[in-house]
Amino acid sequence: MFGDLMGMMGKMQEAQKKIEEAKNRLNTILIDEQSSDGLLKVTITANRTIKSVSITDALLEDKEQLEDYFILVMNKAIEKATAINEAELADAAKVDLPVIPGMEDMFK
């Protein structure tokens, strides 16, 4: 019993290490998104940190249009980053834990 418990703790620590490595790797994955006409561009990491924003001068003349573009482009970029983030972290968190007698149904 204690061997199973110790093995499980070791696997949990291994999973935590993999998750931390994945989080660090996600900081290096860049997502570029832009408006359909290319007037506004953003770059964010897969951890959803904004790295750059590029706005053409034409958009600077219309505050309302700029705000609309910014919201649309950022939401698209965040959606892509979130999908990558969740997939990477889910993969890193996969752990093959031993089955503890009496708890078989908990992990189905």
Side-chain angles (χ1 to χ4, degrees):
M1 170 113 178
F2 287 113
D4 287 344
L5 187 57
M6 294 303 289
M8 186 175 7
M9 292 300 291
K11 290 193 181 244
M12 294 296 281
Q13 288 174 337
E14 182 182 320
Q16 183 62 37
K17 182 180 176 188
K18 286 182 180 179
I19 290 170
E20 288 304 316
E21 290 170 353
K23 286 180 181 178
N24 289 333
R25 188 174 56 252
L26 290 168
N27 282 326
T28 65
I29 298 172
L30 299 177
I31 292 96
D32 295 315
E33 190 60 58
Q34 66 180 3
S35 59
S36 58
D37 56 10
L39 297 179
L40 187 136
K41 299 175 184 178
V42 298
T43 301
I44 67 172
T45 69
N47 275 331
R48 296 167 298 244
T49 300
I50 299 169
K51 289 298 194 177
S52 69
V53 177
S54 174
I55 304 167
T56 61
D57 290 339
L59 275 179
L60 295 176
E61 297 171 11
D62 187 344
K63 181 180 182 282
E64 194 172 302
Q65 183 182 16
L66 173 57
E67 290 169 346
D68 290 343
Y69 270 53
F70 190 77
I71 290 169
L72 290 171
V73 173
M74 285 303 301
N75 282 336
K76 286 189 334 187
I78 290 168
E79 184 179 312
K80 287 180 180 179
T82 299
I84 293 169
N85 184 290
E86 289 174 354
E88 288 283 326
L89 292 179
D91 188 50
K94 287 183 184 173
V95 179
D96 187 25
L97 296 176
V99 176
I100 299 172
M103 298 184 78
E104 298 90 355
D105 294 332
M106 284 186 70
F107 301 104
K108 289 184 179 179

